[in-house]
Amino acid sequence: KAIGEAGYLGIAIPEEYGGSGFGITEAALLMGEVAYCGAMNAASAIHLGIFGLMPLVKHGTEDLKRRHLPRAISGELHVSFAVTEPDAGNDITHIKTFARREGDNYVVNGRKVFITKAQESSKMLLLTRTTLVEKAAKRTDGMTIFFANIDRDAVEVRELHKLGRHAVDTNMLFIDNLKVSASDVVGREGGGFRILMDGLNPERILVAAEAVGMGRAALDRAVKYAKERNVFGRPIGQNQAIAHPLADSYAKLEVAQLMVMKAAWLYDQGKPCGPEGNIAKLRAADAGFEACDRAVQTFGGYGYMQEY
């Protein structure tokens, strides 16, 4: 609510719809700071609201954008991103959720899993097939994205209880005869795969920025402790066994941040950024995790205590 009231949910949305008119570059800087302060729980609670609407921003009709973006920016409208399925995780082309055209509407049936925020959301960006994969010219053809209602009469939302990341709910959706207006198609029928990339690529970039933010927070705490903790008459940070791993992690985080910024710049310029977004996510996750691990080891036994 506070993030919405401060206007941050609209950081990457054009000004004509009530946003700030910035890009994923600025959103990445924002999410890096959020993660620095509150780690993955703080970032998870809000980042879907920042990147999730990019397919609608880039490909939605003027009517869809004017009706929904201002309410999403204010935090009044919660939106989920419904892509993953039980039998189709990263292999998106083999999703089975199908939308059948009936006059001015589509009727959707299928299952979705790992859907964030569906407990609170009244809308979802829903990826479906409108052509069976075996009948499509290419596997990436024949998928369509809808900005659909989460109609509780046709969509059962069942929460999945995770081991962590408790600041945001994760759900399974059972979709049975959900009616969606043809006017709620995002982009064109059958072109959903490429439109989807305008949501997944910024997600990867923001997650990478969050990993760097968490690594920086851990490193700053470890360095401060290494300067203050005295053993054998001197700060432990003067020992190379402590200093060198922290310096190495600092260097890796800086390199990861450069890739985050490169991927964000490419996205904001409308250029292909799939490889860069994936590299940023991979390297930032590695660097962030390693920095946190080394920080815990710098604290020694105290690193296992909640107080620290």
Side-chain angles (χ1 to χ4, degrees):
K1 187 171 184 292
I3 289 289
E5 289 175 351
Y8 286 119
L9 290 176
I11 192 168
I13 293 177
E15 291 180 289
E16 57 263 40
Y17 308 112
S20 299
F22 294 119
I24 292 300
T25 300
E26 289 81 4
L29 293 171
L30 166 68
M31 294 311 299
E33 292 299 314
V34 170
Y36 183 95
C37 298
M40 185 52 77
N41 265 329
S44 294
I46 63 171
H47 77 180
L48 177 61
I50 290 174
F51 81 80
L53 289 166
M54 296 313 296
L56 185 61
V57 171
K58 289 204 165 192
H59 302 283
T61 64
E62 195 65 24
D63 175 61
L64 274 177
K65 289 187 281 192
R66 293 204 177 277
R67 275 196 291 132
H68 301 299
L69 288 179
R71 294 175 59 232
I73 291 168
S74 70
E76 177 188 355
L77 174 65
H78 291 272
V79 180
S80 286
F81 209 162
V83 175
T84 310
E85 297 189 4
D87 297 321
N90 288 331
D91 188 5
I92 295 169
T93 60
H94 280 80
I95 63 169
K96 295 177 181 176
T97 298
F98 195 84
R100 184 183 73 256
R101 184 72 182 253
E102 290 188 358
D104 293 333
N105 299 299
Y106 290 80
V107 177
V108 182
N109 286 277
R111 304 289 181 265
K112 296 291 181 181
V113 71
F114 306 136
I115 307 307
T116 301
K117 272 183 60 176
Q119 296 290 330
E120 296 80 31
S121 298
S122 57
K123 285 279 189 179
M124 59 181 164
L125 279 159
L126 174 63
L127 183 69
T128 73
R129 275 217 161 270
T130 42
T131 301
L132 295 173
V133 65
E134 56 268 23
K135 294 185 179 180
K138 294 192 298 183
R139 288 188 308 161
T140 53
D141 291 344
M143 289 186 282
T144 302
I145 293 180
F146 297 90
F147 195 58
N149 290 323
I150 302 182
D151 178 357
R152 292 316 201 263
D153 291 331
V155 182
E156 180 189 347
V157 179
R158 186 180 301 173
E159 185 168 2
L160 302 171
H161 297 285
K162 308 182 295 294
L163 290 176
R165 202 167 171 253
H166 293 143
V168 63
D169 55 86
T170 301
N171 304 275
M172 189 164 185
L173 307 185
F174 299 84
I175 305 169
D176 295 299
N177 295 319
L178 175 66
K179 186 176 289 187
V180 185
S181 171
S183 63
D184 289 330
V185 171
V186 178
R188 64 175 180 83
E189 181 181 309
F193 182 82
R194 288 162 188 81
I195 296 169
L196 177 67
M197 291 302 108
D198 280 328
L200 296 187
N201 283 328
E203 178 181 23
R204 290 164 180 154
I205 293 165
L206 294 192
V207 168
E210 292 158 19
V212 172
M214 285 184 282
R216 284 177 168 169
L219 208 59
D220 284 352
R221 295 181 188 192
V223 168
K224 183 174 184 292
Y225 182 75
K227 291 177 178 178
E228 297 172 348
R229 172 68 166 165
N230 283 286
V231 177
F232 300 117
R234 65 177 188 171
I236 62 172
Q238 291 183 11
N239 299 313
Q240 290 182 348
I242 299 293
H244 285 183
L246 297 179
D248 181 57
S249 282
Y250 174 80
K252 289 175 178 176
L253 288 168
E254 289 296 298
V255 172
Q257 179 69 6
L258 285 176
M259 184 53 77
V260 170
M261 290 293 99
K262 179 180 181 181
W265 181 86
L266 288 170
Y267 182 88
D268 288 339
Q269 299 301 311
K271 298 177 183 293
C273 66
E276 292 80 6
N278 279 292
I279 292 169
K281 187 182 177 204
L282 170 65
R283 292 304 172 212
D286 285 346
F289 181 88
E290 187 176 64
C292 291
D293 179 64
R294 286 172 168 176
V296 169
Q297 294 187 50
T298 300
F299 276 88
Y302 291 114
Y304 198 60
M305 302 298 115
Q306 284 192 3
E307 183 181 348
Y308 280 79

